[in-house]
Amino acid sequence: MKILVIGSGGREHAIVRRLAQDSPAPALHAAPGNPGIAALATCHDVALGDLDGLVALAGDLAPDLVVIGPEAPLVAGLGDALREKGHAVFGPSAAAARLEGSKSWAKEVMASAGVPTARSVTIRDAEELPSGLEITNPLGDVPYVVKADGLAAGKGVVVTSDRAAALAHGEACLAEGGSVVLEEYLDGPEVSLFCVCDGTRAVPLAPAQDFKRALDGDEGPNTGGMGAYSPLPWAPEGLADEVVRTVAEPTLADLARRGAPFSGLLYCGLALTSRGMRVVEFNARFGDPETQVVLERLASPLGELLGAAARGDLSAVPAPTWSDDAAVAVIVASAGYPASSRTGDPISGIEAAEADGAHVIHAGTALDADGRLVSAGGRVLAVVGRGADLATAREVASAAADAVVLEGSHHRTDIARDAAEGSLSATVEGAAS
Ligand code: AMP
Ligand code: GLY
């Protein structure tokens, strides 16, 4: 079995790492990969934006499976281009990846599929912003939620009680030429539930929770994700099945009806509000850093599961099985992230970080001209701790994050803390118990 993984971040390192643990281990290739991936796979220097180059690479390698990690090549049609050449691809077509590429279209799909989500309005003209905010937050008593409609690496969303800041973000998005989605505010804890899909069937993976805000206590701006953990001891039993039944399956049916069947990873970002479960967002690929903890707990083979989805026949493989262990990932981010990110700083302490059982996933790293490991992005590393329970996994991950040396870097210290302490709960009407 030969597998080509497209991407260069922490998600792809985690995917490659887990594929390497399958038995028998597949031959692994990555494009473009990163220094962490290079320890496990043959990396090919083809840029993510070079769709022709990636298709040519797949032609040369003739892999049994291509796994596309990031959203940008999916939205740009890499899945379609590879399928046209006869490759088995894990990752949706451009038409189906629009679920992530356009928040307003995702809202349309959710409405026609009857999927529970926040009330919203789409705005194309700055003059309509004030009246739009009246619709989504008529009393002005809860935060305003303002989203850039297109891809924004997790940073296009502003949730704020400051009406002027909400208007300013909306105006800034419109000035860039896009449209804006205004939404009703959803309270309650968030859950990321990944469903492996083959066009018609959805197989849920273990739920995880992501920490979107930059700073401890959920302060600071939204980021791509600063940490994650799994399992979620506080989540309602039966949540995954409920999401498959009320969210994933109706969405798959609706997309198929539109001629855009979804084959790949349907990421259901959910809020467990006091009024029931609601979809916050869909993504068309594995989440980062949730993948780092979800795949850490996957006990059954990954290659077989993704391969079956790519071939359109998930019924051919048994349901995934899970370790009872807990996993916690903490992102080490570069100075200034998410507003900016400083690159080129030397990274050390990885061996020390891994000495006590954690492992270090490379998210934004590179080798400089002298072969030294340096930072190359906002989210630089994900340190992953594993243990019999969340408290243990948290200790392992925290010690590892402290051991990493990267000038100016920052990381959250409260990832999974409330869950480990048992102080989180969700009271969701409608979730099966
Ligand atoms: P998105 O890119 O749509 O996932 O939004 C990023 C983050 O913003 C989410 O994970 C939530 O933390 C927050 N967010 C998005 N939409 C809402 C909403 N309607 N109500 C409350 N928070 C939201
Ligand atoms: N961690 C959030 C995302 O991958 O979009």
Side-chain angles (χ1 to χ4, degrees):
M1 177 95 154
K2 188 193 286 183
I3 303 180
L4 169 62
V5 176
I6 308 291
S8 61
R11 162 185 46 221
E12 291 78 25
H13 188 181
I15 291 170
V16 165
R17 184 175 190 274
R18 185 59 189 78
L19 287 171
Q21 293 165 353
D22 280 357
S23 175
L28 290 166
H29 293 261
N34 68 32
I37 293 173
L40 301 166
T42 306
C43 290
H44 302 268
D45 191 14
V46 184
L48 278 179
D50 180 5
L51 264 50
D52 292 343
L54 292 169
V55 173
L57 175 68
D60 291 344
L61 291 172
D64 301 287
L65 175 66
V66 184
V67 178
I68 305 175
E71 58 274 21
L74 288 166
V75 170
L78 180 60
D80 308 81
L82 289 167
R83 281 193 188 90
E84 268 168 34
K85 298 283 182 192
H87 295 289
V89 180
F90 184 77
S93 65
R98 223 179 138 206
L99 216 45
E100 173 163 6
S102 166
K103 288 187 190 289
S104 57
W105 191 70
K107 283 290 186 185
E108 236 178 272
V109 171
M110 284 187 253
S112 65
V115 167
T117 186
R119 216 163 2 103
S120 73
V121 286
T122 300
I123 302 286
R124 296 192 169 77
D125 183 334
E127 282 180 12
E128 296 164 6
L129 280 169
S131 55
L133 293 178
E134 289 293 315
I135 296 170
T136 54
N137 190 356
L139 304 177
D141 58 341
V142 285
Y144 299 94
V145 180
V146 182
K147 303 185 173 188
D149 196 3
L151 291 184
K155 290 174 267 176
V157 176
V158 164
V159 180
T160 176
S161 297
D162 178 348
R163 189 169 180 279
L167 284 170
H169 182 60
E171 281 161 13
C173 294
L174 291 168
E176 284 180 18
S179 43
V180 168
V181 175
L182 308 177
E183 275 187 12
E184 160 198 23
Y185 177 73
L186 299 174
D187 61 355
E190 286 183 47
V191 174
S192 302
L193 201 271
F194 301 163
C195 294
V196 173
C197 302
D198 66 0
T200 52
R201 282 163 285 243
V203 170
L205 303 185
Q209 191 174 49
D210 179 23
F211 289 72
K212 290 259 169 49
R213 299 285 186 143
L215 306 174
D216 278 1
D218 288 333
E219 301 286 338
N222 267 322
T223 69
M226 293 297 289
Y229 68 93
S230 177
L232 312 182
W234 52 269
E237 217 180 298
L239 177 68
D241 292 337
E242 177 81 3
V243 175
V244 167
R245 192 171 57 76
T246 61
V247 176
E249 287 177 350
T251 301
L252 292 183
D254 191 85
L255 290 175
R257 239 186 342 261
R258 291 169 188 257
F262 191 102
S263 169
L265 201 288
L266 178 64
Y267 168 134
C268 303
L270 310 161
L272 306 189
T273 78
S274 48
R275 287 171 298 134
M277 180 248 296
R278 301 278 188 276
V279 173
V280 177
E281 65 165 341
F282 281 136
N283 292 317
R285 38 80 194 169
F286 279 101
D288 192 341
E290 296 99 312
T291 302
Q292 285 83 321
V293 291
V294 171
L295 295 188
E296 180 66 28
R297 299 187 54 237
L298 177 68
S300 49
L302 178 62
E304 186 181 285
L305 179 68
L306 303 186
R311 288 189 303 276
D313 192 11
L314 275 171
S315 64
V317 289
T321 56
W322 301 96
S323 161
D324 288 336
D325 281 356
V328 173
V330 174
I331 293 288
V332 177
S334 63
Y337 179 77
S340 62
S341 54
R342 207 167 81 195
T343 58
D345 289 315
I347 303 165
S348 59
I350 290 190
E351 261 179 38
E354 291 190 326
D356 289 324
H359 67 268
V360 174
I361 293 285
H362 291 233
T365 70
L367 299 179
D368 71 6
D370 302 321
R372 287 180 317 167
L373 190 69
V374 295
S375 57
R379 295 188 292 173
V380 180
L381 301 170
V383 297
V384 183
R386 179 175 178 152
D389 53 32
L390 283 173
T392 313
R394 234 176 81 70
E395 277 170 27
V396 175
S398 307
D402 288 339
V404 168
V405 181
L406 168 64
E407 199 187 309
S409 68
H410 59 103
H411 65 267
R412 283 185 62 161
T413 65
D414 62 349
I415 305 300
R417 187 187 57 206
D418 293 350
E421 290 173 354
S423 60
L424 256 184
S425 65
T427 42
V428 186
E429 298 160 22
S433 56

